[in-house]
Amino acid sequence: MKKIGIFFGSDTGNTEKISKILAKNLKSFGYEPEIYNIANSKKEYLESFNFLLLGIPTWYYGEAQCDWYDFFDTLKEINFLNKYVGIFGCGDQEDYPEYFCDAMGILKEIIKKRNANLIGKWSTEGYKFQRSKALEDEKNFIGLAIDEDRQPDLTNQRVKNWAKLIVDHINRIKES
């Protein structure tokens, strides 16, 4: 029950890097993360985990990264009932402030319709953007938003804090 599947899509390597940092932090809490590139993934891979962390970058005007986009139809075939999913993503809040991390919101819409239990909402404090489909409410993203273009110095601490948040949530789930 300590297994966590981390699935990412990445063109520049940023989301892959975040996945590796996340895995390292989860290991420090005693978990066994397995990292998969969504480009090489199958439906069965995601179905084999009860806890999933999905990393998706936003491109241009709020578009999902191409490997994720190609996987969306497969994602729509998965029943996420009794699965807990955290979403993290990369975006650029300066060049695309009206689309910051929108792909996270696109991904959320797909998995919520498939019964996913979302975990890991993250505060919007410290970010400057206009709009985002990744918002849970006025003060929170649905998951971890990363800006490697404008705030790379904050990435490691944000990932570490989010990993702790995820672990605490999983531990509460296990206890109930």
Side-chain angles (χ1 to χ4, degrees), residues 28-174:
S28 74
F29 292 114
Y31 281 81
E32 300 169 19
E34 295 180 24
I35 302 175
Y36 298 87
N37 186 329
I38 202 67
N40 306 318
S41 295
K42 296 179 181 177
K43 174 183 160 188
E44 295 78 21
Y45 297 179
L46 279 86
E47 290 175 330
S48 70
F49 294 95
N50 290 326
F51 298 102
L52 296 157
L53 302 176
L54 308 178
I56 185 169
T58 299
W59 281 95
Y60 307 113
Y61 303 102
E63 299 168 24
Q65 187 264 348
C66 60
D67 297 321
W68 271 110
Y69 182 82
D70 292 345
F71 197 79
F72 282 166
D73 284 339
T74 302
L75 207 59
K76 292 173 185 174
E77 297 173 6
I78 299 171
N79 184 354
F80 286 91
L81 187 65
N82 299 320
K83 294 190 182 300
Y84 296 86
V85 183
I87 299 174
F88 63 100
C90 293
D92 181 337
Q93 55 193 318
E94 188 174 304
D95 288 343
Y96 299 97
E98 64 278 10
Y99 306 101
F100 183 59
C101 289
D102 273 359
M104 291 172 57
I106 295 167
L107 182 58
K108 178 199 99 170
E109 290 304 315
I110 293 170
I111 65 172
K112 278 301 280 183
K113 288 178 182 172
R114 305 296 305 151
N115 305 308
N117 297 294
L118 286 178
I119 58 174
K121 73 179 177 179
W122 185 254
S123 174
T124 59
E125 191 174 320
Y127 297 86
K128 293 180 182 175
F129 61 96
Q130 293 173 3
R131 285 186 300 279
S132 178
K133 291 180 181 176
L135 290 174
E136 171 80 14
D137 53 44
E138 288 180 9
K139 297 183 179 186
N140 295 288
F141 292 108
I142 57 170
L144 178 62
I146 295 289
D147 188 341
E148 278 292 279
D149 297 307
R150 309 298 169 201
Q151 297 177 323
D153 53 317
L154 301 177
T155 296
N156 284 335
Q157 191 62 49
R158 282 177 172 164
V159 174
K160 181 179 181 178
N161 293 346
W162 194 65
K164 173 78 168 98
L165 184 81
I166 292 296
V167 166
D168 288 348
H169 200 113
I170 290 172
N171 288 339
R172 282 194 306 274
I173 292 165
K174 288 182 187 179

